[in-house]
Coordinates of all heavy atoms in Angstrom, one line a residue:
M1 N 61.7 136.1 -172.7 CA 62.4 136.2 -171.5 C 62.8 134.9 -170.9 O 62.1 133.9 -170.9 CB 61.5 137.0 -170.6 CG 62.3 137.5 -169.4 SD 61.7 139.1 -168.8 CE 60.7 138.7 -167.5
S2 N 63.9 134.8 -170.4 CA 64.5 133.6 -169.7 C 63.9 133.4 -168.5 O 63.7 134.3 -167.7 CB 66.0 133.7 -169.7 OG 66.5 132.7 -169.0
P3 N 63.7 132.1 -168.1 CA 63.2 131.8 -166.8 C 64.1 132.1 -165.6 O 63.8 132.2 -164.5 CB 62.8 130.2 -166.9 CG 63.6 129.8 -168.1 CD 63.9 130.9 -169.0
V4 N 65.5 132.3 -165.9 CA 66.5 132.5 -164.9 C 66.5 134.0 -164.7 O 66.9 134.5 -163.6 CB 67.8 132.0 -165.5 CG1 68.9 132.4 -164.6 CG2 67.7 130.5 -165.8
T5 N 66.1 134.8 -165.6 CA 66.2 136.3 -165.4 C 65.4 136.8 -164.2 O 66.0 137.7 -163.4 CB 65.7 137.0 -166.7 OG1 66.3 136.5 -167.8 CG2 65.9 138.6 -166.6
G6 N 64.2 136.4 -164.0 CA 63.4 136.9 -162.8 C 64.1 136.6 -161.4 O 64.2 137.5 -160.6
P7 N 64.5 135.4 -161.1 CA 65.2 135.1 -159.9 C 66.5 135.8 -159.8 O 66.9 136.2 -158.6 CB 65.3 133.5 -159.9 CG 64.4 133.0 -160.9 CD 64.1 134.1 -161.9
V8 N 67.2 135.9 -160.8 CA 68.5 136.7 -160.8 C 68.3 138.1 -160.5 O 69.0 138.7 -159.6 CB 69.3 136.6 -162.1 CG1 70.5 137.4 -162.1 CG2 69.8 135.0 -162.2
A9 N 67.3 138.7 -161.1 CA 67.0 140.1 -160.9 C 66.6 140.3 -159.4 O 66.9 141.2 -158.7 CB 65.9 140.5 -161.8
T10 N 65.7 139.3 -158.9 CA 65.2 139.4 -157.6 C 66.4 139.3 -156.6 O 66.4 140.1 -155.6 CB 64.2 138.3 -157.2 OG1 63.2 138.5 -158.2 CG2 63.7 138.4 -155.9
A11 N 67.4 138.4 -156.8 CA 68.5 138.2 -155.8 C 69.3 139.5 -156.0 O 69.8 139.9 -154.9 CB 69.2 137.0 -156.3
I12 N 69.6 140.1 -157.1 CA 70.3 141.3 -157.1 C 69.6 142.4 -156.5 O 70.3 143.2 -155.7 CB 70.6 141.6 -158.7 CG1 71.6 140.7 -159.4 CG2 71.1 143.1 -158.8 CD1 71.7 140.9 -160.8
A13 N 68.4 142.5 -156.6 CA 67.6 143.5 -155.9 C 67.7 143.3 -154.4 O 67.8 144.3 -153.7 CB 66.2 143.5 -156.3
M14 N 67.6 142.2 -153.9 CA 67.8 141.9 -152.6 C 69.1 142.2 -152.0 O 69.2 142.8 -150.9 CB 67.4 140.4 -152.2 CG 66.0 140.1 -152.5 SD 64.8 140.9 -151.4 CE 65.0 139.9 -150.0
A15 N 70.2 141.9 -152.8 CA 71.5 142.2 -152.4 C 71.7 143.7 -152.2 O 72.4 144.2 -151.3 CB 72.4 141.4 -153.3
L16 N 71.2 144.4 -153.2 CA 71.3 145.8 -153.2 C 70.6 146.5 -152.0 O 71.0 147.4 -151.4 CB 70.8 146.4 -154.5 CG 71.8 146.2 -155.7 CD1 71.0 146.8 -157.0 CD2 73.0 146.9 -155.6
A17 N 69.4 145.8 -151.7 CA 68.6 146.4 -150.6 C 69.4 146.1 -149.2 O 69.5 147.0 -148.3 CB 67.3 145.7 -150.5
V18 N 70.0 145.0 -149.1 CA 70.8 144.7 -147.9 C 72.0 145.6 -147.8 O 72.4 146.1 -146.8 CB 71.2 143.1 -147.9 CG1 72.3 142.9 -146.8 CG2 70.1 142.2 -147.6
A19 N 72.8 145.8 -149.0 CA 73.9 146.8 -149.0 C 73.5 148.1 -148.6 O 74.2 148.8 -147.9 CB 74.5 146.7 -150.4
L20 N 72.2 148.6 -149.0 CA 71.8 149.9 -148.7 C 71.5 150.0 -147.2 O 71.8 151.0 -146.6 CB 70.6 150.3 -149.5 CG 69.9 151.6 -149.3 CD1 70.9 152.8 -149.6 CD2 68.6 151.7 -150.0
G21 N 70.9 149.0 -146.7 CA 70.7 148.9 -145.3 C 71.9 149.0 -144.4 O 72.0 149.7 -143.5
V22 N 73.0 148.2 -144.8 CA 74.2 148.3 -144.1 C 74.8 149.5 -144.1 O 75.3 150.2 -143.2 CB 75.1 147.1 -144.5 CG1 76.5 147.2 -144.0 CG2 74.5 145.8 -144.3
A23 N 74.9 150.2 -145.3 CA 75.5 151.5 -145.6 C 74.6 152.5 -144.8 O 75.3 153.4 -144.2 CB 75.5 151.8 -147.0
S24 N 73.5 152.5 -144.8 CA 72.7 153.5 -144.1 C 72.9 153.3 -142.5 O 73.0 154.4 -141.9 CB 71.1 153.2 -144.3 OG 70.4 154.1 -143.5
A25 N 73.0 152.1 -142.0 CA 73.4 152.0 -140.6 C 74.7 152.6 -140.3 O 74.9 153.2 -139.3 CB 73.3 150.5 -140.2
G26 N 75.7 152.4 -141.1 CA 77.0 153.0 -140.9 C 77.0 154.4 -141.1 O 77.7 155.2 -140.2
W27 N 76.2 155.0 -141.9 CA 76.1 156.5 -142.0 C 75.5 157.1 -140.7 O 75.9 158.1 -140.3 CB 75.3 156.9 -143.2 CG 75.9 156.5 -144.5 CD1 77.3 156.5 -144.8 CD2 75.2 156.2 -145.7 NE1 77.3 156.1 -146.1 CE2 76.1 155.9 -146.8 CE3 73.8 156.1 -146.1 CZ2 75.9 155.6 -148.0 CZ3 73.5 155.8 -147.4 CH2 74.6 155.6 -148.3
E28 N 74.4 156.4 -140.2 CA 73.8 156.8 -139.1 C 74.7 156.9 -137.8 O 74.7 157.7 -137.0 CB 72.4 156.0 -138.7 CG 71.4 156.3 -139.7 CD 70.9 157.7 -139.6 OE1 70.8 158.3 -138.6 OE2 70.6 158.3 -140.7
T29 N 75.5 155.7 -137.7 CA 76.5 155.6 -136.6 C 77.5 156.8 -136.7 O 77.9 157.4 -135.7 CB 77.2 154.3 -136.7 OG1 76.3 153.2 -136.6 CG2 78.2 154.1 -135.6
R30 N 78.0 157.0 -137.9 CA 79.1 158.1 -138.1 C 78.4 159.4 -137.8 O 79.0 160.3 -137.3 CB 79.5 158.1 -139.6 CG 81.0 158.4 -139.8 CD 81.5 158.3 -141.1 NE 81.5 157.0 -141.6 CZ 81.3 156.6 -142.9 NH1 81.1 157.5 -143.8 NH2 81.4 155.3 -143.2
R31 N 77.2 159.6 -138.2 CA 76.4 160.9 -138.0 C 76.2 161.1 -136.5 O 76.5 162.2 -135.9 CB 75.1 160.8 -138.6 CG 74.3 162.1 -138.3 CD 73.0 162.0 -139.0 NE 72.1 163.1 -138.6 CZ 70.9 163.1 -138.7 NH1 70.1 162.0 -139.1 NH2 70.2 164.2 -138.3
A32 N 76.0 160.1 -135.8 CA 75.8 160.2 -134.2 C 77.1 160.5 -133.6 O 77.1 161.4 -132.8 CB 75.2 158.9 -133.7
R33 N 78.3 159.9 -134.1 CA 79.5 160.3 -133.5 C 79.9 161.7 -133.8 O 80.4 162.4 -132.9 CB 80.7 159.3 -134.2 CG 80.8 158.1 -133.3 CD 82.0 157.3 -133.8 NE 81.6 156.5 -135.0 CZ 82.3 156.4 -136.1 NH1 83.6 156.9 -136.1 NH2 81.9 155.7 -137.1
Y34 N 79.6 162.1 -135.0 CA 79.9 163.5 -135.4 C 79.1 164.5 -134.5 O 79.6 165.6 -134.0 CB 79.6 163.8 -136.8 CG 80.7 163.2 -137.8 CD1 80.4 162.8 -139.1 CD2 82.0 163.2 -137.5 CE1 81.3 162.2 -140.0 CE2 82.9 162.5 -138.3 CZ 82.5 162.1 -139.6 OH 83.5 161.5 -140.4
E35 N 77.8 164.2 -134.3 CA 76.9 165.1 -133.5 C 77.4 165.1 -132.1 O 77.4 166.2 -131.5 CB 75.5 164.7 -133.6 CG 74.8 165.0 -135.0 CD 73.5 164.5 -135.1 OE1 73.1 163.7 -134.2 OE2 72.8 164.9 -136.0
A36 N 77.7 164.0 -131.6 CA 78.3 164.0 -130.2 C 79.6 164.8 -130.0 O 79.9 165.6 -129.1 CB 78.6 162.5 -129.7
R37 N 80.5 164.7 -131.0 CA 81.8 165.5 -131.0 C 81.5 166.9 -131.2 O 82.1 167.8 -130.6 CB 82.6 165.0 -132.3 CG 84.0 165.6 -132.3 CD 84.9 165.2 -131.1 NE 86.1 165.9 -131.4 CZ 87.0 166.3 -130.4 NH1 86.6 166.2 -129.2 NH2 88.1 166.8 -130.7
I38 N 80.5 167.4 -132.0 CA 80.1 168.8 -132.1 C 79.6 169.3 -130.7 O 80.0 170.4 -130.3 CB 79.0 168.9 -133.3 CG1 79.7 168.8 -134.6 CG2 78.4 170.2 -133.1 CD1 78.7 168.6 -135.7
V39 N 78.8 168.5 -130.1 CA 78.3 168.9 -128.7 C 79.4 169.1 -127.7 O 79.6 170.0 -127.1 CB 77.2 167.9 -128.2 CG1 77.1 168.1 -126.8 CG2 76.0 168.0 -129.0
E40 N 80.3 168.1 -127.8 CA 81.6 168.1 -126.9 C 82.4 169.3 -127.1 O 82.9 170.1 -126.3 CB 82.3 166.8 -127.1 CG 83.6 166.8 -126.3 CD 84.4 165.5 -126.6 OE1 83.8 164.6 -126.9 OE2 85.7 165.6 -126.5
L41 N 82.6 169.7 -128.5 CA 83.5 170.8 -128.8 C 82.7 172.1 -128.5 O 83.4 173.0 -128.0 CB 84.0 170.8 -130.3 CG 84.8 169.7 -130.7 CD1 85.0 169.6 -132.3 CD2 86.2 169.9 -130.0
S42 N 81.5 172.2 -128.7 CA 80.7 173.3 -128.4 C 80.7 173.6 -126.8 O 81.0 174.8 -126.4 CB 79.2 173.2 -128.7 OG 79.2 173.1 -130.2
Q43 N 80.6 172.6 -126.0 CA 80.7 172.8 -124.6 C 82.2 173.2 -124.1 O 82.3 174.2 -123.3 CB 80.3 171.5 -123.8 CG 78.9 171.2 -124.0 CD 78.5 169.8 -123.4 OE1 79.4 169.0 -123.1 NE2 77.2 169.6 -123.2
A44 N 83.1 172.7 -124.7 CA 84.5 173.1 -124.4 C 84.7 174.6 -124.8 O 85.4 175.3 -124.1 CB 85.5 172.2 -125.2
A45 N 84.2 175.0 -126.0 CA 84.3 176.3 -126.4 C 83.6 177.3 -125.4 O 84.1 178.4 -125.1 CB 83.7 176.5 -127.8
E46 N 82.6 176.9 -125.0 CA 81.8 177.8 -124.0 C 82.5 177.8 -122.7 O 82.6 178.9 -122.1 CB 80.4 177.2 -123.7 CG 79.4 177.3 -124.9 CD 78.1 176.6 -124.7 OE1 77.8 176.3 -123.4 OE2 77.3 176.5 -125.6
R47 N 83.1 176.8 -122.2 CA 83.8 176.8 -121.0 C 85.2 177.7 -121.2 O 85.4 178.5 -120.4 CB 84.3 175.3 -120.6 CG 83.2 174.5 -120.0 CD 83.7 173.3 -119.3 NE 84.6 172.5 -120.4 CZ 84.0 171.5 -121.0 NH1 82.8 171.2 -120.9 NH2 84.9 170.8 -121.8
N48 N 85.7 177.6 -122.3 CA 86.8 178.4 -122.7 C 86.6 179.9 -122.8 O 87.2 180.7 -122.2 CB 87.5 177.9 -124.0 CG 88.9 178.5 -124.2 OD1 89.5 178.9 -123.2 ND2 89.3 178.7 -125.4
Q49 N 85.4 180.1 -123.3 CA 84.9 181.5 -123.4 C 84.6 182.1 -122.0 O 85.0 183.2 -121.7 CB 83.7 181.6 -124.4 CG 83.2 183.0 -124.5 CD 82.0 183.1 -125.4 OE1 81.3 182.0 -125.6 NE2 81.7 184.2 -126.0
V50 N 84.0 181.3 -121.2 CA 83.7 181.8 -119.8 C 85.0 182.1 -119.0 O 85.2 183.1 -118.4 CB 82.8 180.7 -119.0 CG1 82.7 181.1 -117.6 CG2 81.4 180.7 -119.6
S51 N 85.9 181.2 -119.2 CA 87.2 181.3 -118.6 C 88.0 182.6 -119.1 O 88.6 183.3 -118.3 CB 88.2 180.1 -118.9 OG 89.4 180.3 -118.3
L52 N 87.9 182.8 -120.3 CA 88.6 184.0 -121.0 C 87.9 185.2 -120.5 O 88.6 186.3 -120.2 CB 88.7 184.0 -122.5 CG 89.6 182.8 -123.0 CD1 89.6 182.7 -124.5 CD2 91.1 183.1 -122.6
R53 N 86.6 185.3 -120.4 CA 85.8 186.4 -120.0 C 86.2 186.7 -118.5 O 86.3 187.8 -118.1 CB 84.3 186.3 -120.2 CG 84.0 186.5 -121.6 CD 82.5 186.4 -121.8 NE 82.2 186.6 -123.2 CZ 81.0 186.5 -123.7 NH1 80.0 186.3 -122.9 NH2 80.7 186.7 -124.9
T54 N 86.2 185.7 -117.7 CA 86.6 185.9 -116.3 C 88.0 186.4 -116.1 O 88.2 187.4 -115.3 CB 86.5 184.6 -115.5 OG1 85.2 184.0 -115.8 CG2 86.7 184.7 -114.0
E55 N 88.9 185.9 -116.9 CA 90.3 186.4 -116.8 C 90.3 187.8 -117.4 O 91.0 188.6 -116.7 CB 91.2 185.5 -117.8 CG 92.6 185.8 -117.6 CD 93.5 184.9 -118.5 OE1 93.0 183.8 -118.9 OE2 94.6 185.2 -118.7
L56 N 89.6 188.2 -118.4 CA 89.7 189.5 -118.8 C 88.9 190.5 -117.8 O 89.6 191.6 -117.6 CB 88.8 189.6 -120.1 CG 88.6 191.1 -120.7 CD1 90.0 191.7 -121.1 CD2 87.6 191.0 -121.9
A57 N 88.0 190.1 -117.1 CA 87.4 191.0 -116.1 C 88.2 191.1 -114.9 O 88.4 192.2 -114.4 CB 86.0 190.3 -115.7
S58 N 89.0 190.1 -114.5 CA 90.0 190.2 -113.4 C 91.2 191.1 -113.7 O 91.6 191.9 -113.0 CB 90.5 188.9 -112.9 OG 91.3 188.3 -113.9
C59 N 91.6 191.0 -115.1 CA 92.6 191.9 -115.5 C 92.2 193.3 -115.5 O 92.9 194.2 -115.1 CB 93.1 191.5 -116.9 SG 94.1 190.0 -116.9
R60 N 91.0 193.6 -115.9 CA 90.5 194.9 -116.0 C 90.3 195.5 -114.5 O 90.6 196.6 -114.2 CB 89.1 195.0 -116.6 CG 89.3 194.9 -118.1 CD 88.0 195.0 -118.9 NE 88.1 194.9 -120.3 CZ 87.0 194.8 -121.1 NH1 85.9 194.5 -120.7 NH2 87.3 194.7 -122.4
A61 N 89.9 194.7 -113.7 CA 89.6 195.0 -112.3 C 91.1 195.4 -111.7 O 91.2 196.3 -110.9 CB 88.9 193.9 -111.4
A62 N 92.0 194.5 -111.9 CA 93.4 194.7 -111.4 C 94.0 196.0 -111.9 O 94.6 196.7 -111.2 CB 94.3 193.6 -111.7
G63 N 93.7 196.3 -113.2 CA 94.1 197.6 -113.7 C 93.6 198.8 -113.1 O 94.1 199.7 -112.9
E64 N 92.2 198.7 -113.0 CA 91.5 199.7 -112.3 C 92.0 199.9 -110.8 O 92.0 201.1 -110.4 CB 90.0 199.5 -112.3 CG 89.3 199.6 -113.7 CD 88.0 199.1 -113.8 OE1 87.3 198.8 -112.7 OE2 87.4 199.1 -114.9
A65 N 92.2 198.8 -110.1 CA 92.7 199.1 -108.8 C 94.0 199.6 -108.7 O 94.2 200.4 -107.8 CB 92.7 197.6 -108.1
R66 N 94.9 199.3 -109.6 CA 96.1 199.9 -109.6 C 96.1 201.4 -109.9 O 96.8 202.2 -109.3 CB 97.1 199.3 -110.7 CG 97.7 197.9 -110.2 CD 98.7 197.4 -111.2 NE 99.2 196.2 -110.6 CZ 99.5 195.2 -111.3 NH1 99.5 195.2 -112.7 NH2 100.0 194.1 -110.8
Q67 N 95.1 201.8 -110.9 CA 95.0 203.3 -111.1 C 94.4 203.9 -110.0 O 94.9 205.0 -109.7 CB 94.0 203.4 -112.3 CG 94.7 203.0 -113.7 CD 93.7 203.1 -114.8 OE1 92.5 203.3 -114.6 NE2 94.2 202.9 -116.0
L68 N 93.4 203.4 -109.3 CA 92.9 204.0 -108.1 C 93.9 204.1 -107.0 O 94.0 205.2 -106.3 CB 91.7 203.1 -107.6 CG 90.4 203.2 -108.4 CD1 89.4 202.3 -107.8 CD2 89.9 204.6 -108.5
T69 N 94.7 203.1 -106.8 CA 95.7 203.2 -105.8 C 96.8 204.3 -106.1 O 97.2 205.1 -105.2 CB 96.5 201.8 -105.6 OG1 95.5 200.8 -105.4 CG2 97.5 201.9 -104.6
A70 N 97.2 204.4 -107.3 CA 98.1 205.4 -107.7 C 97.5 206.8 -107.6 O 98.1 207.7 -107.0 CB 98.5 205.2 -109.1
A71 N 96.2 206.9 -107.9 CA 95.5 208.2 -107.7 C 95.3 208.6 -106.3 O 95.5 209.7 -105.9 CB 94.1 208.2 -108.4
E72 N 95.0 207.6 -105.5 CA 94.9 207.9 -104.0 C 96.2 208.3 -103.5 O 96.3 209.3 -102.6 CB 94.4 206.6 -103.3 CG 92.9 206.3 -103.6 CD 92.6 204.9 -102.9 OE1 93.4 204.2 -102.3 OE2 91.5 204.4 -103.1
Y73 N 97.3 207.7 -103.8 CA 98.6 208.0 -103.3 C 99.1 209.5 -103.7 O 99.6 210.2 -103.0 CB 99.7 207.0 -103.6 CG 99.8 205.8 -102.8 CD1 99.4 204.6 -103.1 CD2 100.1 206.0 -101.4 CE1 99.4 203.5 -102.4 CE2 100.0 204.8 -100.5 CZ 99.8 203.6 -101.1 OH 99.7 202.6 -100.2
A74 N 98.7 209.7 -105.1 CA 99.0 211.1 -105.6 C 98.2 212.1 -104.8 O 98.7 213.2 -104.6 CB 98.7 211.2 -107.0
A75 N 96.9 211.8 -104.5 CA 96.2 212.8 -103.9 C 96.6 213.0 -102.3 O 96.4 214.2 -101.8 CB 94.6 212.3 -103.7
K76 N 97.2 212.1 -101.8 CA 97.6 212.2 -100.4 C 99.0 212.9 -100.2 O 99.4 213.2 -99.1 CB 97.8 210.8 -99.8 CG 96.5 210.1 -99.5 CD 96.8 208.8 -98.8 CE 95.4 208.1 -98.5 NZ 95.7 206.7 -98.0
G77 N 99.6 213.2 -101.4 CA 100.9 213.9 -101.2 C 102.0 213.0 -101.6 O 101.7 211.8 -102.0
P78 N 103.2 213.4 -101.5 CA 104.3 212.5 -101.9 C 104.3 211.3 -100.9 O 104.3 211.5 -99.7 CB 105.5 213.4 -101.8 CG 105.1 214.5 -100.8 CD 103.6 214.6 -101.1
P79 N 104.4 210.1 -101.5 CA 104.5 208.9 -100.6 C 105.9 208.8 -100.0 O 106.9 209.3 -100.5 CB 104.3 207.7 -101.6 CG 104.8 208.3 -102.9 CD 104.5 209.8 -102.9
P80 N 106.1 208.0 -98.9 CA 107.3 207.8 -98.3 C 108.3 207.0 -99.3 O 107.7 206.4 -100.2 CB 107.0 206.9 -97.2 CG 105.5 207.0 -96.9 CD 105.0 207.4 -98.2
D81 N 109.4 207.3 -99.2 CA 110.4 206.7 -100.1 C 110.1 205.1 -100.2 O 110.2 204.6 -101.3 CB 111.8 206.9 -99.8 CG 112.1 208.3 -99.9 OD1 111.5 209.0 -100.8 OD2 113.1 208.9 -99.2
G82 N 110.0 204.4 -99.2 CA 109.9 203.0 -99.2 C 108.6 202.6 -99.9 O 108.6 201.5 -100.7
A83 N 107.5 203.2 -99.7 CA 106.2 202.8 -100.4 C 106.4 203.0 -101.9 O 105.9 202.3 -102.7 CB 105.0 203.7 -99.8
K84 N 107.0 204.2 -102.3 CA 107.1 204.5 -103.7 C 107.9 203.4 -104.3 O 107.7 202.9 -105.4 CB 107.7 205.8 -103.9 CG 107.8 206.3 -105.4 CD 108.3 207.8 -105.5 CE 108.3 208.0 -107.0 NZ 108.7 209.5 -107.1
R85 N 109.0 203.0 -103.7 CA 110.0 202.0 -104.2 C 109.2 200.7 -104.4 O 109.3 200.0 -105.4 CB 111.2 201.7 -103.3 CG 112.2 200.8 -103.8 CD 113.4 200.7 -102.9 NE 113.1 200.5 -101.6 CZ 112.8 199.3 -101.0 NH1 112.7 198.2 -101.7 NH2 112.5 199.3 -99.6
L86 N 108.3 200.3 -103.4 CA 107.5 199.0 -103.5 C 106.6 199.0 -104.6 O 106.4 198.1 -105.3 CB 106.9 198.8 -102.0 CG 107.7 198.4 -101.0 CD1 106.8 198.3 -99.7 CD2 108.4 197.1 -101.2
L87 N 106.0 200.2 -104.9 CA 105.0 200.2 -105.9 C 105.7 200.1 -107.3 O 105.2 199.6 -108.2 CB 104.2 201.7 -105.9 CG 103.1 201.7 -104.8 CD1 102.5 203.1 -104.8 CD2 102.0 200.6 -105.2
E88 N 106.9 200.7 -107.4 CA 107.6 200.7 -108.7 C 108.2 199.3 -109.0 O 108.2 198.9 -110.1 CB 108.7 201.8 -108.7 CG 108.1 203.2 -108.8 CD 109.1 204.2 -108.7 OE1 110.3 203.9 -108.3 OE2 108.7 205.4 -108.7
Q89 N 108.7 198.7 -108.0 CA 109.6 197.5 -108.2 C 108.6 196.2 -108.0 O 109.0 195.2 -108.5 CB 110.7 197.4 -107.2 CG 111.7 198.5 -107.5 CD 112.8 198.5 -106.6 OE1 112.9 197.7 -105.6 NE2 113.8 199.3 -106.8
Q90 N 107.6 196.3 -107.3 CA 106.6 195.1 -107.0 C 107.5 193.9 -106.6 O 107.8 193.0 -107.3 CB 105.7 194.9 -108.2 CG 104.7 195.9 -108.4 CD 103.7 195.4 -109.3 OE1 103.7 194.3 -109.7 NE2 102.8 196.3 -109.6
P91 N 107.9 193.9 -105.3 CA 108.7 192.7 -104.8 C 108.0 191.4 -104.9 O 106.8 191.3 -105.2 CB 109.0 193.1 -103.4 CG 107.8 193.9 -103.0 CD 107.5 194.7 -104.2
E92 N 108.6 190.3 -104.7 CA 108.1 189.0 -104.7 C 106.9 188.9 -103.7 O 106.9 189.5 -102.7 CB 109.1 187.9 -104.2 CG 110.4 187.8 -105.1 CD 109.9 187.1 -106.4 OE1 109.1 186.1 -106.4 OE2 110.5 187.4 -107.5
G93 N 105.8 188.2 -104.2 CA 104.7 187.9 -103.3 C 103.5 188.9 -103.7 O 102.3 188.5 -103.4
I94 N 103.7 190.1 -104.3 CA 102.7 191.0 -104.6 C 101.8 190.4 -105.7 O 100.6 190.3 -105.7 CB 103.1 192.3 -104.9 CG1 103.6 193.0 -103.7 CG2 102.1 193.2 -105.6 CD1 104.1 194.5 -103.8
D95 N 102.5 189.8 -106.7 CA 101.7 189.3 -107.8 C 101.9 187.7 -107.9 O 101.8 187.0 -108.9 CB 102.5 189.7 -109.2 CG 101.6 189.7 -110.4 OD1 100.4 189.7 -110.2 OD2 102.1 189.7 -111.4
A96 N 101.9 187.1 -106.7 CA 102.0 185.7 -106.6 C 100.9 184.9 -107.1 O 100.9 184.0 -107.7 CB 102.3 185.3 -105.1
C97 N 99.7 185.5 -106.9 CA 98.5 184.8 -107.2 C 98.5 184.7 -108.8 O 98.1 183.7 -109.3 CB 97.2 185.6 -106.7 SG 95.6 184.9 -107.2
A98 N 98.8 185.8 -109.5 CA 98.8 185.8 -110.9 C 99.8 184.8 -111.4 O 99.6 184.0 -112.5 CB 98.9 187.1 -111.5
R99 N 101.0 184.6 -110.9 CA 102.0 183.7 -111.2 C 101.5 182.3 -111.0 O 101.8 181.4 -111.8 CB 103.2 184.1 -110.4 CG 104.0 185.3 -110.9 CD 105.3 185.4 -110.2 NE 105.8 186.8 -110.2 CZ 106.3 187.4 -109.3 NH1 106.6 186.8 -108.1 NH2 106.7 188.7 -109.4
M100 N 100.8 182.1 -110.0 CA 100.3 180.7 -109.7 C 99.3 180.3 -110.7 O 99.3 179.2 -111.2 CB 99.7 180.6 -108.3 CG 100.9 180.7 -107.2 SD 100.3 180.8 -105.5 CE 99.2 179.3 -105.4
E101 N 98.3 181.3 -111.0 CA 97.3 181.0 -112.0 C 98.0 180.7 -113.4 O 97.6 179.8 -114.1 CB 96.4 182.2 -112.1 CG 95.4 182.2 -110.9 CD 94.5 183.5 -111.0 OE1 94.7 184.2 -112.0 OE2 93.8 183.8 -110.1
S102 N 99.0 181.5 -113.7 CA 99.7 181.2 -114.9 C 100.3 179.9 -115.1 O 100.2 179.2 -116.0 CB 100.7 182.3 -115.2 OG 101.5 182.1 -116.3
A103 N 100.9 179.5 -113.9 CA 101.6 178.2 -113.8 C 100.5 177.0 -113.9 O 100.7 176.0 -114.6 CB 102.4 178.0 -112.5
D104 N 99.4 177.3 -113.3 CA 98.3 176.3 -113.4 C 97.9 176.1 -114.8 O 97.5 175.0 -115.3 CB 97.1 176.7 -112.5 CG 97.4 176.5 -110.9 OD1 98.4 175.8 -110.7 OD2 96.6 177.0 -110.2
R105 N 97.6 177.2 -115.4 CA 97.3 177.1 -116.9 C 98.3 176.4 -117.8 O 98.0 175.6 -118.6 CB 97.0 178.5 -117.5 CG 95.5 179.1 -117.0 CD 95.3 180.3 -117.8 NE 96.3 181.4 -117.8 CZ 96.3 182.4 -116.8 NH1 95.4 182.3 -115.8 NH2 97.2 183.2 -116.8
A106 N 99.5 176.7 -117.5 CA 100.6 176.0 -118.2 C 100.6 174.6 -118.0 O 100.6 173.7 -118.9 CB 101.9 176.5 -117.9
V107 N 100.4 174.1 -116.8 CA 100.3 172.7 -116.5 C 99.2 172.1 -117.1 O 99.2 170.9 -117.7 CB 100.3 172.5 -114.9 CG1 100.0 171.0 -114.6 CG2 101.7 172.8 -114.4
L108 N 98.1 172.7 -117.0 CA 96.8 172.1 -117.5 C 96.8 172.1 -119.1 O 96.4 171.1 -119.7 CB 95.5 173.0 -117.1 CG 95.2 172.8 -115.6 CD1 94.0 173.8 -115.3 CD2 94.7 171.4 -115.3
S109 N 97.4 173.0 -119.7 CA 97.5 173.0 -121.1 C 98.5 171.9 -121.5 O 98.2 171.2 -122.6 CB 98.0 174.3 -121.7 OG 99.4 174.5 -121.3
N110 N 99.5 171.6 -120.9 CA 100.3 170.4 -121.1 C 99.6 169.1 -121.0 O 99.8 168.1 -121.6 CB 101.6 170.5 -120.2 CG 102.5 171.5 -120.7 OD1 102.6 172.0 -121.8 ND2 103.4 172.0 -119.8
L111 N 98.7 169.0 -119.9 CA 97.9 167.8 -119.7 C 96.9 167.5 -120.8 O 96.7 166.4 -121.1 CB 97.3 167.9 -118.3 CG 98.3 167.9 -117.1 CD1 97.4 168.0 -115.8 CD2 99.0 166.6 -117.1
K112 N 96.3 168.6 -121.4 CA 95.4 168.5 -122.3 C 96.0 168.0 -123.7 O 95.3 167.4 -124.5 CB 94.6 169.7 -122.6 CG 93.8 170.2 -121.5 CD 93.1 171.5 -121.8 CE 92.2 171.9 -120.6 NZ 91.6 173.2 -120.8
R113 N 97.2 168.1 -123.9 CA 97.9 167.7 -125.2 C 97.9 166.3 -125.4 O 97.8 165.3 -125.0 CB 99.3 168.4 -125.3 CG 99.2 169.8 -125.5 CD 100.6 170.4 -125.8 NE 100.4 171.9 -125.6 CZ 101.5 172.6 -125.7 NH1 102.7 172.1 -125.7 NH2 101.4 173.9 -125.5

């Protein structure tokens, strides 16, 4: 065996150990970034799910309220002509809240992009 072989092998082993340490630190950093991104996306998904469930509940409640209103008017007898026309045509302002919420969602979705 050559007297140079030992020190060369030791230097190569040290270089490989340093390279492994550097690569491991990079992997850990990348892993931490991925885990933070997963947490962020999970929280966003939960907020979105809560928002959608709330919206669904309000839509169902609005539908039930309309059915109850129509049933109440039917039980009271024929409605006056003006009231029936308002129920059928729904003039400006009756659904203003829903329109404003829709506009807010549209603006927010544009800001998120």
